[in-house]
Amino acid sequence: MALIDARNFYPEQQGLGPGAPITPTSADIKQGFTTLSSNPDPLPKLFQPMTIRGLTLKNRAVVSPMGMHSSVDGFATDFHLVHIGQYALRGAGLIFVEATGVLPEGRVTTTCLGLWKDEHIEKLSQIASFAHANKTAIGIQLAHGGRKSSVMSPWSSNGQRGYANTENGGWPDKVVGPSAIPYDDESWPPKELSVEEIKNVQQSFADAAVRADKAGFDVIDIHAAHGYLLHQFLSPISNKRTDEYGGSFENRARMVVETARAVRKVWPKDKPLFVRISFTDWVKPSNEIPTGGWTDEDSIELAKLLVKEGVDLIDCSANGSSPKQVIPPLVPGYQVPFATAIKENVPGMLSGAVGHITEAKQANDILEEEKADLVFLGRVLLRNPNFVLDAATQLSVFPQYLHQYERGRNKTEITLI
């Protein structure tokens, strides 16, 4: 019998893992956990498995990458293990670790995660292993903040976007962008990247992808949204270059396309590659920017280029390129049409929906109506980490629970058992 190191012992979950539909037993019915002898046929799409390349997700609920601003020198901590781990215990099909800097100066805040050196791998590997022990897929988002970097963590600047100087651990002299144009009047003026420096950034994404594979991650999501570096190259608001990385759509898209190509080259063929984009800048047209910046049409054309590079899914968010953005009313699912546009216009490309998806029926309807292939959940999971298991109950699905939490299942009727 193999010896067990008690310090690292954790019993792997049996079956398909928390959040996977299973057939109720007579004991489950007797104990009041369900009144049904079987799950719906077909299952609600939210709880149907999905295979992308060599990865099969047990359901289609995805934990969006959400910045926790709880790192020092880019290292993951026990906080990240507990924060990410809770979703592996509570039924998510795929969990994304937050935007992770591929370079120290590529972090958005001074307390963002990083993956620019091998020393970062160990703790991230522990987190990935914990997810896998609970039969949950896990991905990581790779990012570079560009001109929106060197920022204080939200709570250290009273909730405002405070920019970090060197005394506060920032790197104002190393902030970069496609052009020497600051995001706003308070942000650090960026240095325009040379072509050689662009190539170095692309290589840093590829190097971080190699480390992500060594750490055991199943999926990479390249962050090309929210006004960060890759998005800055896409948008004419922030990109005024006159070389091969600026001007025309093809030139402005080149940075993202080449970065995806570099990552795909080193990322295992059986592992999916996602890209998050801002589908629109949501800036009103002006004499300076007649299009209003990056547009819906641009996003569709970019997705057509990326599918040729081996990108499997576009995760569709919006805005972040300019303080002049005009965001429409934040109604439920306000960004879902972006994911639908990718599905309808880009053959071979999957899409992920984000944006105020907060109800079980809403999430399932998005999938049933073919508006997206996966739903990405964010703040709702911060409020209720049990959202996926609760959604199963609301959709009349009997899900596997964490073995240790089995007695805490929702009951459809009260029993003393």
Side-chain angles (χ1 to χ4, degrees):
M1 180 178 178
L3 294 176
I4 295 174
D5 184 345
R7 294 168 299 178
N8 296 314
F9 172 71
Y10 179 76
E12 182 175 292
Q13 293 292 303
Q14 303 301 308
L16 298 176
I22 58 174
T23 301
T25 66
S26 57
D28 293 323
I29 297 172
K30 184 177 181 180
Q31 292 179 75
F33 292 134
T34 183
T35 58
L36 304 174
S37 59
S38 62
N39 282 312
D41 186 15
L43 285 163
K45 209 159 187 180
L46 183 62
F47 288 94
Q48 292 180 16
M50 183 175 189
T51 298
I52 309 174
R53 293 186 183 257
L55 178 68
T56 297
L57 306 179
K58 60 191 173 185
N59 62 49
R60 304 190 186 201
V62 181
V63 180
S64 275
M66 293 180 280
M68 293 291 108
H69 311 289
S70 299
S71 172
V72 175
D73 192 29
F75 283 93
T77 67
D78 285 349
F79 169 82
H80 297 94
L81 173 62
V82 174
H83 167 65
I84 295 296
Q86 68 179 324
Y87 300 120
L89 302 180
R90 296 180 181 274
L94 171 62
I95 306 167
F96 272 107
V97 172
E98 65 196 75
T100 301
V102 300
L103 288 166
E105 64 271 21
R107 291 169 293 167
V108 177
T109 73
T110 58
T111 51
C112 283
L113 281 180
L115 196 47
W116 64 81
K117 54 186 176 182
D118 290 348
E119 289 81 0
H120 288 141
I121 294 173
E122 183 178 4
K123 191 66 176 184
L124 290 171
S125 179
Q126 182 187 7
I127 294 169
S129 295
F130 186 81
H132 291 152
N134 289 285
K135 306 294 180 68
T136 302
I138 184 166
I140 188 167
Q141 186 179 66
L142 301 182
H144 191 301
R147 68 177 186 167
K148 293 177 78 173
S149 66
S150 194
V151 177
M152 303 280 286
S153 64
W155 43 86
S156 65
S157 53
N158 298 317
Q160 303 300 312
R161 191 177 180 83
Y163 291 89
N165 56 29
T166 53
E167 294 178 355
N168 293 316
W171 47 94
D173 294 337
K174 295 182 179 180
V175 172
V176 297
S179 301
I181 304 171
Y183 174 73
D184 59 23
D185 293 338
E186 297 180 359
S187 60
W188 303 114
K191 172 184 174 292
E192 180 174 310
L193 287 165
S194 68
V195 171
E196 181 181 0
E197 289 169 330
I198 287 172
K199 299 299 183 183
N200 290 338
V201 169
Q202 293 172 347
Q203 185 60 50
S204 296
F205 272 90
D207 292 344
V210 171
R211 295 186 185 102
D213 182 45
K214 290 179 179 178
F217 288 101
D218 303 303
V219 187
I220 279 177
D221 186 35
I222 297 174
H223 200 344
H226 300 164
Y228 299 130
L229 184 63
L230 298 187
H231 182 190
Q232 290 162 26
F233 272 88
L234 294 174
S235 177
I237 292 173
S238 46
N239 185 348
K240 305 295 185 182
R241 300 176 73 96
T242 57
D243 62 4
E244 65 265 41
Y245 288 97
S248 68
F249 163 82
E250 290 77 15
N251 284 357
R252 286 183 284 111
R254 192 182 307 278
M255 176 61 160
V256 175
V257 171
E258 290 181 350
T259 301
R261 183 182 302 155
V263 170
R264 183 76 270 179
K265 183 177 180 180
V266 301
W267 188 237
K269 292 182 179 179
D270 63 339
K271 291 188 175 185
L273 176 61
F274 295 0
V275 174
R276 170 166 280 197
I277 65 172
S278 281
F279 205 78
T280 174
D281 281 337
W282 267 332
V283 174
K284 292 182 178 180
S286 64
N287 291 333
E288 181 186 4
I289 308 291
T291 63
W294 186 253
T295 67
D296 299 18
E297 294 78 11
D298 291 334
S299 289
I300 291 170
E301 293 306 309
L302 175 64
K304 290 177 180 178
L305 296 176
L306 291 175
V307 74
K308 297 176 183 178
E309 300 296 338
V311 173
D312 300 292
L313 181 143
I314 299 294
D315 166 13
C316 301
S317 189
N319 66 66
S321 188
S322 169
K324 296 179 181 179
Q325 64 194 13
V326 180
I327 300 174
L330 302 183
V331 298
Y334 72 107
Q335 295 181 129
V336 173
F338 302 149
T340 307
I342 294 294
K343 277 187 66 68
E344 292 179 346
N345 292 284
V346 188
M349 182 68 84
L350 301 171
S351 70
V354 307
H356 279 258
I357 302 172
T358 60
E359 302 291 339
K361 184 178 183 303
Q362 175 199 14
N364 188 62
D365 286 350
I366 289 168
L367 301 172
E368 295 284 359
E369 295 168 10
E370 299 290 333
K371 294 178 178 178
D373 298 289
L374 296 174
V375 289
F376 284 66
L377 307 168
R379 289 176 175 86
V380 67
L381 289 172
L382 299 179
R383 295 189 292 270
N384 176 20
N386 218 53
F387 176 88
V388 177
L389 296 175
D390 290 347
T393 300
Q394 294 168 36
L395 296 171
S396 300
V397 171
F398 191 77
Q400 181 173 328
Y401 256 56
L402 184 77
H403 303 321
Q404 295 92 327
Y405 290 2
E406 184 71 39
R407 289 171 295 176
R409 274 186 183 275
N410 290 321
K411 288 197 172 189
T412 55
E413 58 183 59
I414 302 299
T415 70
L416 297 179
I417 301 177

